[in-house]
Amino acid sequence: MNSSIMNNTMAAEEAGMFVVRQTVGSVLCCKCGIPMQPNSANMCVKCLRSEVDITEGLKKHMIIRHCPECDTYLQPPNTWIRAQLESKQLLAFCIKALHLPKTVRMVNAEFVWTEPHSKRIKLRLKIQKEVLAGAVLEQTFDAEFVQQETMCDACTRVQANPDQWVASVQLRQHVPHRRTFFYLEQLILKHDAAVRAIKINQMDQGIDFFFGNRSHGVKFVDFISKVAPVKSRSDKQLVSHDTHTSTYNYKYTFSVEISPICREDLICLPPEVRRNLGNLGPIVICTKVTNSIALLDPLTLRQAYLDADRYWKTSFKSLLTSRQLVEYIVLDVDITGPEVIVGGSKYVLADAQVARLSDFGRNDNIFFVKTHLGHILKPGDQALGYDLYAANSNNFDLDKCKGLVLPEAILIKKSYEEKRQRKRGKPRSWKLKSLNMEVDESRGRYDPDKTSREYEEFLRDLEENPELRFNISLYRNKEYQPSEMASTVDGEDLPSVALDELLADLDISDMERDEDDGMSE
């Protein structure tokens, strides 16, 4: 403002006009007498603060209700919100609980450190308020919130009767293995998707999740639909009815079916699906499964994605699954194409001579195949693939492809089984966490040996495929000795997990031990 006046004055003087210069005067404070710029109260800031307390009438001590079971806070009248200590959500919750009047403007708010077990939360707030006919005063004050432990309704019901559930999610996949559920389990753990589950049961072809609230079940179904191609339906059953208050209590069941198409499956696409995907295939490989299915033609390196809705409209099954993979030995590899990046993965087309490992010493059958693994295969390597030369498949989609000449074999991935045999029995430098599940053995279909074998195969897939472990949390194995950290056997490199990918598995006992050591020092 003053600069604009000076500029106008100088311009007027240059034009030869007579101008009266304006200066900002000062007055004496009516209480302490120090010079100050005039304001409506004619008092300095220090005297204003001694006369007026703008924090008067504001809440500085409050009690907030906290559920220790699910770590939520009660937002009246009956909403429980989840917030971590010193998080933005907790800061917003505490500020809202103060109910600041509209005449007060908040400038800043921050947490003040308190003892973790004191059940106290302190905030330091800086506010502004207009006082004494237009004078604006700024002041800082502390607000303290005392946590009162009270269980929410859902946790109260669980404590009263652990089997009293309101919503159940039945997750199923009709395949003869559990590879998909091992992967989903790690995604659920990483994102805390089942943190509100009352109970988790491992069933024959899936997992059952039980929740104390319908909204928790709906939220869990939404999470599964974002990480896997699923279709779902819901049903409800009347449990009780109060005729006086017209209150109905239901139990809700969500049936979620996961697509039977899994990674590394060999698929023969139906004609209508081929047309929708730009005449892809018809023989393709499933390379990745998220909420959509990634399909790759191993002979042309063309790729397409099939979302869940389009799959369930014209659902189909795999021609061959990963349980039918056959071991081959690579005799010769001739690169025929450049390196291509498809969907974030590297592929190179090549012509290869392979023979089944089971044929060695029995016959001289050699197969000339085209493969997309030219970048990792070399003569002498072993590979896993599908034996179409001896396969007998009753597939209606394959019968519709008239004039199709099937290759004698389709290689899927490089095999490290021979190298792993020399390193068998040694522990890994990493480990995974698992859900607290109860195994259903009522039907007698649970086979612990089969589950252990499939889990070991899942761990090997994680070691061999960095893209697969991208969304999974791997933890350091404390029992692993540093001297065993080499992943080389007789000069041959084995797929392994880099140490920088591992997380520290921190538990309460370790924290207490570290605190005791610090106090003793």
Side-chain angles (χ1 to χ4, degrees):
M1 181 69 182
N2 294 335
S3 62
S4 62
I5 294 175
M6 292 179 62
N7 293 334
N8 295 334
T9 303
M10 294 174 63
E13 289 179 350
E14 291 176 357
M17 300 174 60
F18 177 75
V19 178
V20 178
R21 292 181 175 272
Q22 297 182 1
T23 58
V24 179
S26 62
V27 297
L28 299 179
C29 176
C30 64
K31 288 185 66 69
C32 63
I34 65 172
M36 51 163 281
Q37 291 186 359
N39 57 35
S40 57
N42 282 336
M43 284 196 297
C44 62
V45 175
K46 187 180 295 185
C47 295
L48 270 174
R49 288 177 178 172
S50 63
E51 289 289 328
V52 181
D53 183 13
I54 63 175
T55 65
E56 184 179 358
L58 300 182
K59 296 180 181 179
K60 300 178 182 178
H61 299 277
M62 288 193 62
I63 296 177
I64 56 177
R65 302 189 183 276
H66 172 254
C67 178
E69 296 293 327
C70 59
D71 195 20
T72 55
Y73 295 88
L74 175 63
Q75 182 172 313
N78 54 7
T79 303
W80 292 84
I81 64 171
R82 180 178 297 276
Q84 300 293 330
L85 288 176
E86 298 192 2
S87 64
K88 294 181 180 179
Q89 293 80 6
L90 184 59
L91 183 64
F93 168 77
C94 294
I95 293 174
K96 189 174 182 179
L98 289 174
H99 298 290
L100 296 176
K102 295 182 179 180
T103 56
V104 174
R105 177 175 176 266
M106 189 182 63
V107 179
N108 186 34
E110 60 183 1
F111 286 100
V112 179
W113 186 86
T114 57
E115 290 289 341
H117 303 292
S118 64
K119 304 298 181 184
R120 299 288 193 277
I121 299 175
K122 285 187 178 181
L123 290 184
R124 181 159 295 160
L125 299 100
K126 183 183 291 185
I127 61 172
Q128 290 181 348
K129 186 179 180 181
E130 184 178 339
V131 296
L132 298 179
V136 177
L137 193 61
E138 186 175 278
Q139 191 171 343
T140 302
F141 73 100
D142 292 344
E144 184 180 71
F145 301 84
V146 181
Q147 290 187 15
Q148 187 176 33
E149 304 296 344
T150 304
M151 285 197 297
C152 61
D153 296 338
C155 295
T156 302
R157 288 196 299 268
V158 173
Q159 292 292 332
N161 183 6
D163 295 328
Q164 186 179 2
W165 53 272
V166 175
S168 69
V169 179
Q170 298 175 352
L171 196 60
R172 297 290 185 270
Q173 186 185 34
H174 301 297
V175 293
H177 57 80
R178 298 189 64 86
R179 292 172 56 197
T180 303
F181 292 105
F182 292 142
Y183 182 70
L184 283 179
E185 180 182 6
Q186 300 305 316
L187 292 180
I188 292 170
L189 285 169
K190 182 173 182 177
H191 297 279
D192 287 334
V195 68
R196 293 182 179 270
I198 298 173
K199 184 174 62 173
I200 305 175
N201 286 347
Q202 177 179 326
M203 309 302 291
D204 178 32
Q205 289 187 324
I207 307 175
D208 287 351
F209 296 84
F210 299 91
F211 299 90
N213 194 302
R214 179 182 178 274
S215 62
H216 301 162
V218 172
K219 186 176 180 180
F220 182 75
V221 173
D222 291 340
F223 171 79
I224 296 297
S225 64
K226 293 178 182 178
V227 298
V230 301
K231 67 174 181 179
S232 62
R233 67 182 185 90
S234 61
D235 297 295
K236 63 181 181 180
Q237 179 182 5
L238 181 64
V239 177
S240 62
H241 173 213
D242 189 345
T243 57
H244 300 286
T245 60
S246 296
T247 302
Y248 297 84
N249 292 325
Y250 293 96
K251 279 192 173 183
Y252 301 88
T253 302
F254 299 90
S255 178
V256 182
E257 182 180 352
I258 304 175
S259 165
I261 304 298
C262 300
R263 192 175 60 87
E264 298 176 353
D265 283 1
L266 189 67
I267 303 166
C268 180
L269 294 176
E272 56 271 24
V273 177
R274 290 185 60 197
R275 288 192 295 268
N276 293 333
L277 297 180
N279 204 26
L280 181 73
I283 302 300
V284 295
I285 301 172
C286 176
T287 57
K288 187 177 181 181
V289 178
T290 54
N291 57 349
S292 61
I293 303 173
L295 303 173
L296 174 71
D297 188 340
L299 305 181
T300 61
L301 297 186
R302 290 184 58 200
Q303 188 180 36
Y305 291 90
L306 188 66
D307 58 33
D309 294 336
R310 293 167 65 186
Y311 169 78
W312 291 110
K313 285 181 180 178
T314 55
S315 60
F316 52 87
K317 294 184 178 180
S318 301
L319 182 64
L320 295 173
T321 66
S322 58
R323 296 177 64 88
Q324 298 167 286
L325 288 171
V326 177
E327 283 189 294
Y328 289 88
I329 185 166
V330 180
L331 304 177
D332 190 17
V333 177
D334 183 18
I335 304 298
T336 59
E339 182 179 296
V340 179
I341 304 297
V342 181
S345 300
K346 183 191 303 182
Y347 300 108
V348 174
L349 283 177
D351 292 331
Q353 298 181 27
V354 298
R356 287 177 297 208
L357 201 62
S358 59
D359 289 344
F360 265 57
R362 297 184 178 179
N363 54 56
D364 297 327
N365 290 338
I366 296 177
F367 304 106
F368 296 86
V369 299
K370 196 171 185 179
T371 179
H372 61 293
L373 304 177
H375 61 295
I376 58 174
L377 293 181
K378 59 182 182 295
D381 287 343
Q382 292 184 8
L384 292 174
Y386 292 109
D387 184 9
L388 300 181
Y389 177 77
N392 185 10
S393 176
N394 295 324
N395 188 282
F396 294 105
D397 296 323
L398 187 61
D399 296 336
K400 295 178 183 178
C401 300
K402 297 181 180 180
L404 175 64
V405 179
L406 291 176
E408 296 175 328
I410 294 181
L411 303 183
I412 300 298
K413 62 180 179 179
K414 186 176 178 179
S415 176
Y416 301 92
E417 184 62 26
E418 182 182 4
K419 301 175 184 178
R420 293 184 188 276
Q421 293 288 343
R422 311 174 196 176
K423 201 181 176 184
R424 187 176 298 276
K426 294 184 179 181
R428 290 180 170 87
S429 61
W430 54 276
K431 63 180 181 178
L432 300 175
K433 291 186 176 181
S434 58
L435 291 172
N436 184 20
M437 290 189 292
E438 300 178 5
V439 180
D440 181 21
E441 302 180 7
S442 59
R443 300 183 180 181
R445 296 181 180 178
Y446 177 68
D447 187 354
D449 295 334
K450 176 186 174 185
T451 304
S452 299
R453 289 194 303 270
E454 292 176 349
Y455 188 70
E456 176 64 24
E457 293 175 1
F458 171 68
L459 298 181
R460 294 179 182 179
D461 288 342
L462 291 181
E463 289 178 334
E464 297 174 7
N465 193 343
E467 187 179 355
L468 187 62
R469 60 178 183 263
F470 178 76
N471 293 322
I472 292 181
S473 297
L474 284 74
Y475 299 90
R476 297 179 186 271
N477 187 3
K478 297 178 180 179
E479 300 177 357
Y480 191 74
Q481 300 298 327
S483 59
E484 300 173 355
M485 293 177 63
S487 61
T488 304
V489 179
D490 297 336
E492 297 175 336
D493 292 334
L494 287 176
S496 60
V497 179
L499 292 179
D500 56 0
E501 296 184 38
L502 305 183
L503 303 175
D505 188 9
L506 186 65
D507 54 24
I508 299 300
S509 59
D510 294 337
M511 295 174 61
E512 293 177 349
R513 192 181 305 112
D514 293 340
E515 291 178 359
D516 294 341
D517 294 342
M519 294 176 62
S520 62
E521 293 176 359

